[in-house]
Amino acid sequence: MQNRISRLVKTGGFGHVEAVHLGGAFPVVIQTMWKDRLSYACIEGAAGEAVVARINRLKDMGCGLLRFAVPDLEAAEVLGKLACMVSMPLVADIHFDYKIALRCLDFPIAKIRINPGNIGGRDRVEKVLTRAAAKGVPIRIGVNGGSLPQELRRRVEVGELDRAEALVEAAERELAIFDEFGFRDVLVSMKASSAGETIRANRLLAERTDVPLHIGVTEAGPLIAGVTRNAAALYTLLSEGIGDTIRVSLSDTMENEVIAGREILNLASVSADVLNGDMVQPQRAVPDGVTIVSCPRCGRNGFDTHGFTARWLDYLYTLKKKCTIAIMGCAVNGPEEARHADLGITGAGGKVLLFRHGKIVRTIDAIDADIAFREELDTL
Ligand code: SF4
């Protein structure tokens, strides 16, 4: 199997908007999608400050692109204003109405996701492509198993195609239109709710085009099911060098989607380092960051590892330095794991011990654990 080096596509990089490169040998980019409807009230006053703070936090956690559903022209205006308030490249997700795409392109929106099959005839697609090309904004063709064209669905039903082949055919039809208009800044996603179909569709298309691929299992379910299904599909594809940007779709928070994406990328990257043979993933850098070791907790615990981990989780994923943090419950496994971490905290008898690079630096009461941990973390 050959390494897949896809075409390079740049998003953002204008004005205050950060540039993010997709494809080539650039790192795989993690995305998530805003979960609520945007309104003017969301971006004004204290609510607006909270939205900006959350977007900045997602960026610090490792999210490279943030997508928003844009169901109407008002949402386009709101997203356009929001794009002026943050440096994170924002992506507009548009269905059915090409005028919404055109309006988004009046703002510093970094990327457009459309399903050309549902935004009207070729003249409308051409209008969007012409404006996007003039602004240097890339477009993702997003094909979903749940919204395949009628004719392809029928061919699947009669057994002429399987669903993965139908996804590829739908994507190739759209790519042909983009090719015809000479539009090169294009990405493709083909998502199904089945890990197997997602893998097969992306493998098929990866052999036929150099277009960067956005990969993920869609409608993957709640946290545990969603992470498991996405990990199976994304680990497999990334280990084969397929995938330039990922989203772990979850019926859960954006923060957890980003964390799951980071963990999957780390896993694929470590495996590519360790194994030979079929593991041919290009050595694309994975940004430095935290590895969290935490115990599952049991009846021996003298320290609530679940509560402590939940309180610190998002913040730990904003750390830019490469470090291991251990959060352990008791003296059985705690001191050993904590000793091997850069910073470790463990229950031990009635007390809590803090380890730093293998040495005990504090012995404290559980009630003081958060403050002491913060002080040690800040100077790590
Ligand atoms: S470290 Fe202690 S509390 Fe945590 S799971 Fe192991 S034995 Fe239980």
Side-chain angles (χ1 to χ4, degrees):
M1 190 178 301
Q2 299 295 308
N3 283 357
R4 181 175 191 269
I5 302 291
S6 50
R7 182 188 306 174
L8 187 59
V9 170
K10 184 178 138 199
T11 63
F14 36 76
H16 64 289
V17 180
E18 196 168 277
V20 171
H21 295 88
L22 304 165
F26 278 84
V28 176
V29 173
I30 296 169
Q31 306 193 24
T32 184
M33 188 163 182
W34 199 258
K35 307 265 174 176
D36 299 307
R37 190 184 175 95
L38 273 186
S39 66
Y40 283 110
C42 296
I43 59 163
E44 287 163 358
E49 285 170 23
V51 165
V52 169
R54 192 166 184 197
I55 292 173
N56 290 338
R57 167 65 68 97
L58 287 166
K59 184 161 168 272
D60 285 344
M61 291 176 72
C63 177
L65 290 171
L66 180 57
R67 183 158 52 111
F68 289 79
V70 187
D72 52 36
L73 283 169
E74 183 184 318
E77 303 288 331
V78 174
L79 182 61
K81 284 188 169 35
L82 183 60
C84 298
M85 297 160 67
V86 295
S87 61
M88 166 90 85
L90 304 187
V91 181
D93 187 295
I94 296 153
H95 287 268
F96 307 123
D97 188 349
Y98 78 107
K99 289 190 192 129
I100 299 173
L102 293 179
R103 185 65 182 126
C104 283
L105 287 164
D106 291 333
F107 298 104
I109 302 292
K111 184 155 74 80
I112 303 278
R113 180 266 166 131
I114 56 171
N115 188 336
N118 72 21
I119 67 162
R122 294 165 58 81
D123 55 326
R124 295 178 173 186
V125 174
E126 183 177 10
K127 283 192 174 105
V128 174
L129 297 189
T130 304
R131 179 81 67 87
K135 302 267 307 198
V137 173
I139 295 180
R140 167 160 69 90
I141 297 169
V143 180
N144 269 32
S147 54
L148 281 170
Q150 180 77 34
E151 172 251 341
L152 286 177
R153 280 210 299 269
R154 190 196 57 75
R155 288 173 66 192
V156 171
E157 278 162 19
V158 299
E160 218 174 282
L161 295 173
D162 64 32
R163 280 165 60 86
E165 289 166 339
L167 285 167
V168 172
E169 180 141 348
E172 286 187 319
R173 284 180 189 175
E174 306 302 348
L175 276 174
I177 298 170
F178 279 54
D179 272 351
E180 215 175 293
F181 292 120
F183 191 92
R184 299 267 304 160
D185 284 341
V186 59
L187 299 96
V188 168
S189 65
M190 295 166 299
K191 298 188 181 179
S193 54
S194 139
E197 285 167 359
T198 302
I199 292 170
R200 191 163 133 68
N202 281 284
R203 278 179 175 160
L204 285 171
L205 193 67
E207 285 176 3
R208 301 187 196 177
T209 173
D210 70 341
V211 166
L213 297 176
H214 168 79
I215 58 174
V217 177
T218 192
E219 289 111 31
L223 185 63
I224 296 170
V227 170
T228 306
R229 291 169 195 162
N230 269 285
L234 300 190
Y235 173 82
T236 303
L237 290 167
L238 291 165
S239 298
E240 295 171 10
I242 298 171
D244 302 284
T245 170
I246 65 172
R247 180 194 174 196
V248 179
S249 301
L250 301 174
S251 304
D252 206 274
T253 64
M254 294 182 287
E255 288 77 6
N256 279 343
E257 290 194 1
V258 174
I259 291 171
R262 280 185 54 172
E263 293 293 339
I264 292 168
L265 282 185
N266 277 334
L267 195 60
S269 150
V270 168
S271 298
D273 284 345
V274 168
L275 300 175
N276 295 314
D278 288 341
M279 306 296 288
V280 292
Q281 185 195 18
Q283 293 304 300
R284 299 166 106 176
V286 174
D288 284 341
V290 71
T291 300
I292 298 174
V293 175
S294 64
C295 87
R297 205 180 72 193
C298 72
R300 291 184 201 91
N301 85 84
F303 177 55
D304 176 17
T305 54
H306 291 194
F308 189 87
T309 306
R311 284 195 298 282
W312 283 93
L313 187 69
D314 289 357
Y315 179 75
L316 290 176
Y317 274 93
T318 68
L319 299 178
K320 297 288 177 270
K321 59 190 136 197
K322 188 174 170 65
C323 60
T324 299
I325 307 290
I327 303 167
M328 303 295 291
C330 80
V332 173
N333 297 315
E336 198 53 23
E337 288 289 356
R339 194 171 279 122
H340 284 98
D342 295 288
L343 182 62
I345 186 164
T346 181
K351 290 288 186 182
V352 171
L353 307 180
L354 265 160
F355 286 77
R356 196 165 159 155
H357 302 305
K359 294 200 173 74
I360 296 174
V361 289
R362 299 197 194 207
T363 303
I364 51 178
D365 293 323
I367 199 165
D368 299 321
D370 289 82
I371 291 172
F373 182 78
R374 180 67 194 238
E375 287 170 358
E376 294 299 331
L377 197 56
D378 285 348
T379 56
L380 195 62

